[in-house]
Amino acid sequence: MLKEPVDLRSDTVTKPTPAMRRAMYEAEVGDDVYREDPTVNRLEEEAAARLGKEAGLFVTSGTQGNLISVLTHTAPGQEVILESESHIFYYEVAGSALIGGVQMRPLKGKAGALDPAEVEAAVRPENIHYPPTGLIALENTHNRAGGAVLPPENVQAIAQVAARHQLPLHLDGARIFNAAVALGLSAAELAAPFTSVMFCLSKGLGAPVGSVIVGPRDWIERARKWRKRLGGGMRQAGVLAAAGLVALDQMVERLAEDHANARRLAEGLANLPGLEVVPPQTNMVLVDVAGTGLSASAFTARLAEHGVLAGDTAPTKVRFVTHKDVDRKGIEYTLAVVAKLIKGE
Ligand code: TLP
């Protein structure tokens, strides 16, 4: 066993770097509800600039950022078109339905991407029986599709549908920087077709807490009110924002290393009998373990006995997520542990 467990459950487990801790210690702060926290203000400006939008809002989490975005774009009784395995639909505890009173209209995608024609067909025409469509939401990278990158031309086509029907388009870009690095494009280029974008500082970028939503200035003003209403006004949040600024400044380019580690892990796993591996595009490796005769939860429990942590995302599906706190040695160790497990040793 290695000294520390190899934790591949998620990139959310990443710990702040020494530079982040220093920046947090030294952060200039003020009351952010009065907009007097200079470090939060700097993060919001920097995030908006990086994503090519007018303004930004620092929020507690990706889930809160998506919830605030849905609430700000829609009115109760409207419908939101989104992918059937998207995080907003699958993993956000029905917050938008409960708090926003909206109905979800999930469409099945391919590798996380929706068919623009199906999106257009799902937009509701005027009819006494129908809820009006209020929003289209996409996810890039797509988590449950294994960190899949949305093809830019597919996003463009859906943006045209949104524009034709005068609908806002939101991006759950929790991992937009992974998509940008994988495509060799800027985050601003990927964000351009969207009205609003949420991205996370606390995943592959390694900050301890927080996400940012970006969009038009008047929209962010309304989002700020929703954040307060939801209890997300954070006062001296500069200590957190300081780590976010370091994340944007120092942690984006290195995501390529996580992608290379995911590819190495996938290649090694694909050579083992009983495993079906989805070739990774970014930092996630999805593996169907049905061929081993084990359930995903039994499989991950066996790995955990040897100090390797992975997640089960369906009865026979296991997810490994690479990130800055797992190096190549951890990946090779993981491959050795899985090989032994499969040989029944
Ligand atoms: N995803 C987490 C879990 O919630 C599943 C993970 O381990 O991958 N959008 C996307 C695409 C996400 O993957 C996540 C987190 C979020 C939003 C929510 O972010 P947080 O955890 O900050 O609320």
Side-chain angles (χ1 to χ4, degrees):
M1 275 231 257
L2 298 180
K3 259 203 326 258
E4 297 281 329
V6 181
D7 193 345
L8 295 161
R9 287 172 300 170
S10 181
D11 46 11
T12 60
V13 303
T14 44
K15 308 233 168 94
T17 63
M20 287 178 189
R21 288 182 183 271
R22 252 190 322 274
M24 294 171 80
Y25 181 78
E26 289 166 2
E28 243 189 286
V29 297
D31 190 325
D32 181 50
V33 173
Y34 293 111
R35 303 191 185 201
E36 287 171 5
D37 190 304
T39 312
V40 171
N41 292 343
R42 209 144 52 80
L43 173 65
E44 292 178 344
E45 280 160 26
E46 175 68 26
R50 289 288 291 250
L51 280 279
K53 302 292 181 208
E54 279 175 15
L57 184 71
F58 186 44
V59 295
T60 58
S61 66
T63 301
Q64 191 189 53
N66 280 332
L67 175 59
I68 291 173
S69 299
V70 172
L71 291 167
T72 309
H73 280 304
T74 62
Q78 291 188 334
E79 196 164 69
V80 178
I81 298 173
L82 76 188
E83 207 280 322
S84 60
E85 302 227 1
S86 62
H87 198 276
I88 294 178
F89 183 65
Y90 208 96
Y91 287 127
E92 297 189 4
V93 214
S96 293
L98 179 67
I99 301 167
V102 291
Q103 167 164 289
M104 293 296 166
R105 180 81 178 274
L107 304 180
K108 194 141 188 48
K110 269 204 196 115
L114 293 175
D115 176 342
E118 285 177 25
V119 173
E120 184 133 43
V123 174
R124 301 278 196 167
E126 175 44 40
N127 180 306
I128 184 72
H129 303 90
Y130 292 166
T133 304
L135 175 67
I136 303 171
L138 307 183
E139 184 174 313
N140 198 16
T141 63
H142 192 292
N143 183 342
R144 286 189 61 81
V149 177
L150 298 184
E153 58 285 359
N154 169 264
V155 173
Q156 270 310 338
I158 293 172
Q160 280 162 17
V161 172
R164 266 200 296 281
H165 297 274
Q166 294 176 337
L167 290 170
L169 184 63
H170 173 70
L171 178 66
D172 174 347
R175 298 183 180 83
I176 192 173
F177 289 103
N178 292 86
V181 166
L183 288 169
L185 295 171
S186 69
E189 285 171 289
L190 299 190
F194 294 90
T195 322
S196 60
V197 179
M198 181 286 290
F199 74 91
C200 294
L201 298 160
S202 64
K203 299 200 163 56
L205 300 185
V209 179
S211 296
V212 184
I213 54 178
V214 296
R217 197 169 294 283
D218 60 331
W219 184 85
I220 288 289
E221 280 311 304
R222 291 190 290 120
R224 189 178 285 276
K225 191 95 172 174
W226 266 116
R227 185 185 69 173
K228 188 75 184 86
R229 193 175 278 126
L230 295 172
M234 288 186 287
R235 310 299 177 184
Q236 287 73 37
V239 288
L240 302 175
L245 281 163
V246 175
L248 285 177
D249 189 43
Q250 299 180 1
M251 305 300 284
V252 173
E253 301 307 322
R254 65 149 307 288
L255 293 173
E257 229 177 275
D258 303 341
H259 299 178
N261 279 337
R263 284 196 298 275
R264 167 67 193 130
L265 181 62
E267 278 161 21
L269 292 174
N271 285 331
L272 299 173
L275 301 181
E276 249 184 68
V277 182
V278 180
Q281 297 176 41
T282 57
N283 69 329
M284 293 187 189
V285 183
L286 279 191
V287 184
D288 196 321
V289 300
T292 65
L294 292 173
S295 68
S297 56
F299 191 93
T300 54
R302 298 279 292 280
L303 293 185
E305 287 167 18
H306 299 277
V308 172
L309 307 180
D312 51 315
T313 61
T316 64
K317 286 205 179 125
V318 173
R319 182 184 80 156
F320 299 86
V321 185
T322 58
H323 54 76
K324 74 171 189 62
D325 294 340
V326 173
D327 59 10
R328 190 51 73 98
K329 200 165 126 210
I331 298 295
E332 299 301 339
Y333 176 74
T334 300
L335 285 171
V337 167
V338 177
K340 269 196 185 168
L341 190 166
I342 285 183
K343 278 198 215 135
E345 284 173 15

